[in-house]
Structures are given as structure tokens and as C-alpha cells.
Amino acid sequence: MSIIREEYPVEAMDFVTAGEASAQIKRMLKKLGVDPGVIRRLAIACYEAEINLVIHSDGGKLTLELNPDNVTLKSDDVGPGIPDIDLAMSEGYSTASDDVRMMGFGAGMGLANMARNADHFRIDSKVGEGTSIEMIFDIKK
Amino acid sequence: MTVNEVAQILGASIITKEADTAREVKGGYTCDLLSWVMAHGREGMAWTTVQTHMNVIAVASLHDMSCVIIPEGIHMENDVIEKADEEGICVLASELTAFEICGRLAAAGIGAC
Ligand SMILES: Nc1ncnc2c1ncn2[C@@H]1O[C@H](COP(=O)(O)OP(=O)(O)O)[C@@H](O)[C@H]1O
Ligand SMILES: [Mg+2]
């Protein structure tokens, strides 16, 4: 059973609060005394997941679970899904709109950054339904 | 070097009101792609970018950066500046280009983090 489980709803195309969930998660882990290296990796991955919910999905949520030996972060959304996951995972590939790119998003590095920073990374997606990502960050000393 | 000293070197104005200008600047960086900065950002960095929306502050704050430097007299909206103050991230407004900013900071001994 997890020690702490928190859910953070994330709205599509809300650029004002985008990043808030990641900031809250980071603050909480810091207070709980989680290793700064783990927090850094998790913050990077969490931010990328959150931004993807904002720019690619129709809305979703992040779920954080603090377990005795890991922190698990899930991203679940309702949305278009990803037709070719291997392609989407490759660095530089992005379907972001020009407007979104003008803001500095859409570098096509998000999924790769998540996979690189998490100790375990799993992604499931159904076209026309949505996308689920699970990332585990080990905190064993 | 502190954020204050960086502002002096650049002749930049500090447009945040409360964020700590005595904070140590541990290195410099420039890039406008947020994912890129998210992947390479470091604690204490002074980050130069032409982006001025809310998410710049989110990225800077997630990395505990020392300051964000906006080049070429680009305007940042008040609500973004307020957010920066809330998060304790100084924002510097400079008339110089990003190229000139990096040049001056490097000449003053600031390296990559
Ligand atoms: N939650 C999601 N829902 C639908 N498509 C997604 C989602 N996350 C990622 N994608 C798809 O995968 C691509 C690559 O994602 P990512 O690596 O984060 O790059 P970027 O967000 O910069 O486009 C996106 O452009 C998009 O086509
Ligand atoms: Mg992305």
C-alpha cells in the first residue's frame, strides 16, 4: 500500500496553470525529504507529462504514489491517443501546432525525457480513446 | 556572483520586486525550447530566453534557477512577473541580444552549470 496517493487534474490547453501540478508535486516530495536527485528526475518527467496533457489530450490527470521504495507517477487522459508509439517516442517527432511551438513547446523531446529520467517507463495508448503512462522512480538507498 | 551583479554587468533592470537578488548565479544557459531547458536546466542557473509566458517561470522554478533574463527589451506581462515573485525567481530585463548577454556573462567568468 502506498504511503501517500494524490491526484492532480490537468486541463487541455490551459497554459496559465500548466506546470502547477509538477510544482506542487515537487514541493511535496521536498517536504517529505525525498532524495534531491530523484526529485529532479521526477520533476522533469512530471512536467513533460503535464505539458503533454495540456497540448495533446482533451484533459486528464496525474497521479502520484509515494511507496516505501519508489515514487510512482501516472498520467491518464482522454484524447486522440497515439497511433505509432515508437515514432512518438523518437526525439524530435512532434504533432504540436505552430501556435504551441511558438511558445517553445513541441520540441518532440517529452516522451524521450520521461523514459530517460524514470527507472521504469510504460506507455499504453488507444487511438480515439486516450493515453496512459506509468513511471516509477526508485528511492532505495 | 549574485543576481544583482549579473544585472549590473548587463545594465539590466530587475523587474521582479520580491525575489532574492542576492541569490548566487551558478552558471548560464540560453534556449527557447522549454523541453530542452527542462532536460538541461540546473539549480542556480541564469537562463536567457525570448519566451515570456507563465511556463517560463514554471520551468525556472522546477529547476530552482536563480534568474530568468529577457533579452532585447521584450515585454513580460505583469501576471507573469507576479508569478516569478511568488516562486522566488528574479526576472531581469535587458536591451542586449541573447548573444551579447551570454558573451558578457562568459567574459565575467560565468560558465555553463
Ligand atoms: N497524452 C498524449 N495524447 C496524445 N498524443 C500524445 C500524448 N503525448 C504525446 N503524444 C504524441 O506524441 C508526440 C511526441 O510527444 P513528446 O515527445 O512529448 O513531444 P511534444 O510534446 O514536444 O510534441 C506528440 O507530438 C503527440 O503527437
Ligand atoms: Mg511533450
Side-chain angles (χ1 to χ4, degrees), chain A residues 47-53 55-56 93-94 96 105-111 114, chain B residues 35:
Chain A
Y47 174 81
E48 293 291 359
E50 184 174 0
I51 294 302
N52 279 359
L53 292 178
I55 68 179
H56 302 301
Y93 176 83
S94 175
F105 301 111
M109 299 170 65
L111 292 172
M114 287 181 229
Chain B
S35 282

CSV table of all heavy atoms in Angstrom, one decimal, chain A residues 47-53 55-56 93-94 96 105-111 114, chain B residues 35, ligand 2:
chain,number,residue,atom,x,y,z
A,47,TYR,N,6.8,17.2,-15.5
A,47,TYR,CA,6.5,18.4,-16.2
A,47,TYR,C,6.2,18.1,-17.7
A,47,TYR,O,5.2,18.6,-18.3
A,47,TYR,CB,7.7,19.4,-16.2
A,47,TYR,CG,7.5,20.6,-17.1
A,47,TYR,CD1,6.8,21.7,-16.7
A,47,TYR,CD2,8.1,20.6,-18.4
A,47,TYR,CE1,6.6,22.8,-17.5
A,47,TYR,CE2,8.0,21.7,-19.2
A,47,TYR,CZ,7.3,22.8,-18.8
A,47,TYR,OH,7.1,23.8,-19.6
A,48,GLU,N,6.9,17.2,-18.3
A,48,GLU,CA,6.7,16.7,-19.6
A,48,GLU,C,5.3,16.1,-19.8
A,48,GLU,O,4.6,16.3,-20.8
A,48,GLU,CB,7.8,15.8,-20.1
A,48,GLU,CG,9.2,16.5,-20.3
A,48,GLU,CD,9.3,17.5,-21.4
A,48,GLU,OE1,8.3,17.7,-22.1
A,48,GLU,OE2,10.4,18.1,-21.5
A,49,ALA,N,5.0,15.2,-18.8
A,49,ALA,CA,3.7,14.5,-18.9
A,49,ALA,C,2.6,15.6,-18.7
A,49,ALA,O,1.6,15.5,-19.5
A,49,ALA,CB,3.6,13.5,-17.7
A,50,GLU,N,2.8,16.5,-17.8
A,50,GLU,CA,1.7,17.5,-17.6
A,50,GLU,C,1.5,18.4,-18.9
A,50,GLU,O,0.4,18.6,-19.3
A,50,GLU,CB,2.1,18.4,-16.4
A,50,GLU,CG,1.1,19.4,-16.1
A,50,GLU,CD,1.4,20.3,-14.8
A,50,GLU,OE1,2.5,20.0,-14.2
A,50,GLU,OE2,0.6,21.1,-14.5
A,51,ILE,N,2.6,18.8,-19.5
A,51,ILE,CA,2.5,19.6,-20.7
A,51,ILE,C,1.9,18.8,-21.8
A,51,ILE,O,1.1,19.3,-22.6
A,51,ILE,CB,3.9,20.1,-21.2
A,51,ILE,CG1,4.5,21.1,-20.1
A,51,ILE,CG2,3.8,20.8,-22.5
A,51,ILE,CD1,3.6,22.3,-19.8
A,52,ASN,N,2.2,17.5,-21.9
A,52,ASN,CA,1.5,16.7,-23.0
A,52,ASN,C,0.0,16.6,-22.7
A,52,ASN,O,-0.8,16.6,-23.7
A,52,ASN,CB,2.1,15.3,-23.0
A,52,ASN,CG,3.4,15.2,-23.8
A,52,ASN,OD1,3.8,16.3,-24.3
A,52,ASN,ND2,4.0,14.1,-23.9
A,53,LEU,N,-0.4,16.5,-21.5
A,53,LEU,CA,-1.8,16.5,-21.2
A,53,LEU,C,-2.4,17.9,-21.7
A,53,LEU,O,-3.5,17.9,-22.3
A,53,LEU,CB,-2.1,16.4,-19.7
A,53,LEU,CG,-1.8,15.0,-19.1
A,53,LEU,CD1,-2.0,15.1,-17.5
A,53,LEU,CD2,-2.5,13.9,-19.7
A,55,ILE,N,-1.2,20.0,-24.1
A,55,ILE,CA,-1.2,20.3,-25.5
A,55,ILE,C,-1.7,19.2,-26.4
A,55,ILE,O,-2.0,19.5,-27.5
A,55,ILE,CB,0.3,20.8,-26.0
A,55,ILE,CG1,1.3,19.7,-25.9
A,55,ILE,CG2,0.7,22.0,-25.2
A,55,ILE,CD1,2.7,20.1,-26.4
A,56,HIS,N,-1.7,18.0,-25.9
A,56,HIS,CA,-2.1,16.9,-26.8
A,56,HIS,C,-3.4,16.2,-26.5
A,56,HIS,O,-4.1,15.6,-27.3
A,56,HIS,CB,-1.0,15.8,-26.9
A,56,HIS,CG,0.3,16.3,-27.4
A,56,HIS,ND1,0.5,16.9,-28.6
A,56,HIS,CD2,1.5,16.3,-26.8
A,56,HIS,CE1,1.8,17.2,-28.7
A,56,HIS,NE2,2.4,16.9,-27.6
A,93,TYR,N,10.2,14.2,-32.9
A,93,TYR,CA,8.9,14.0,-33.5
A,93,TYR,C,7.9,14.7,-32.7
A,93,TYR,O,7.7,14.5,-31.5
A,93,TYR,CB,8.6,12.5,-33.7
A,93,TYR,CG,7.2,12.3,-34.2
A,93,TYR,CD1,6.9,12.3,-35.6
A,93,TYR,CD2,6.1,12.1,-33.4
A,93,TYR,CE1,5.6,12.2,-36.1
A,93,TYR,CE2,4.8,11.9,-33.9
A,93,TYR,CZ,4.6,12.0,-35.2
A,93,TYR,OH,3.3,11.8,-35.7
A,94,SER,N,7.1,15.5,-33.4
A,94,SER,CA,6.0,16.2,-32.7
A,94,SER,C,4.9,16.6,-33.6
A,94,SER,O,5.1,17.0,-34.8
A,94,SER,CB,6.6,17.5,-32.1
A,94,SER,OG,5.5,18.3,-31.5
A,96,ALA,N,2.7,18.9,-32.5
A,96,ALA,CA,2.2,20.1,-31.9
A,96,ALA,C,2.0,21.2,-33.0
A,96,ALA,O,2.7,21.2,-34.0
A,96,ALA,CB,3.3,20.6,-30.9
A,105,PHE,N,7.0,25.1,-26.9
A,105,PHE,CA,6.6,23.6,-26.7
A,105,PHE,C,6.8,22.9,-28.0
A,105,PHE,O,7.0,23.5,-29.0
A,105,PHE,CB,5.2,23.5,-26.2
A,105,PHE,CG,4.9,24.2,-25.0
A,105,PHE,CD1,4.0,25.4,-25.0
A,105,PHE,CD2,5.4,23.8,-23.7
A,105,PHE,CE1,3.7,26.1,-23.8
A,105,PHE,CE2,5.1,24.5,-22.6
A,105,PHE,CZ,4.3,25.6,-22.6
A,106,GLY,N,6.6,21.6,-28.0
A,106,GLY,CA,6.7,20.9,-29.2
A,106,GLY,C,8.1,20.6,-29.8
A,106,GLY,O,8.3,20.5,-31.0
A,107,ALA,N,9.0,20.4,-28.9
A,107,ALA,CA,10.4,20.1,-29.3
A,107,ALA,C,10.5,18.6,-29.6
A,107,ALA,O,11.5,18.1,-30.2
A,107,ALA,CB,11.4,20.5,-28.2
A,108,GLY,N,9.4,17.8,-29.3
A,108,GLY,CA,9.4,16.4,-29.5
A,108,GLY,C,10.4,15.6,-28.6
A,108,GLY,O,10.9,14.6,-29.0
A,109,MET,N,10.6,16.2,-27.4
A,109,MET,CA,11.6,15.5,-26.5
A,109,MET,C,10.9,15.0,-25.3
A,109,MET,O,11.5,14.4,-24.4
A,109,MET,CB,12.6,16.5,-26.1
A,109,MET,CG,13.5,17.1,-27.2
A,109,MET,SD,14.5,18.5,-26.5
A,109,MET,CE,15.5,17.6,-25.4
A,110,GLY,N,9.6,15.3,-25.1
A,110,GLY,CA,8.9,15.0,-23.9
A,110,GLY,C,8.9,13.5,-23.5
A,110,GLY,O,9.4,13.1,-22.4
A,111,LEU,N,8.4,12.7,-24.4
A,111,LEU,CA,8.4,11.2,-24.1
A,111,LEU,C,9.8,10.7,-23.9
A,111,LEU,O,10.0,9.9,-22.9
A,111,LEU,CB,7.6,10.5,-25.2
A,111,LEU,CG,6.1,10.8,-25.3
A,111,LEU,CD1,5.6,10.1,-26.6
A,111,LEU,CD2,5.4,10.3,-24.1
A,114,MET,N,11.0,11.7,-20.5
A,114,MET,CA,10.3,10.9,-19.5
A,114,MET,C,11.0,9.5,-19.3
A,114,MET,O,11.3,9.1,-18.2
A,114,MET,CB,8.8,10.6,-19.8
A,114,MET,CG,8.0,11.8,-19.6
A,114,MET,SD,6.2,11.4,-20.1
A,114,MET,CE,5.8,12.7,-21.2
B,35,SER,N,11.2,22.2,-23.5
B,35,SER,CA,11.6,20.8,-23.2
B,35,SER,C,13.1,20.6,-23.1
B,35,SER,O,13.7,19.9,-22.3
B,35,SER,CB,11.1,19.8,-24.2
B,35,SER,OG,9.8,19.6,-24.1
C,2,MG,MG,5.6,16.8,-25.0
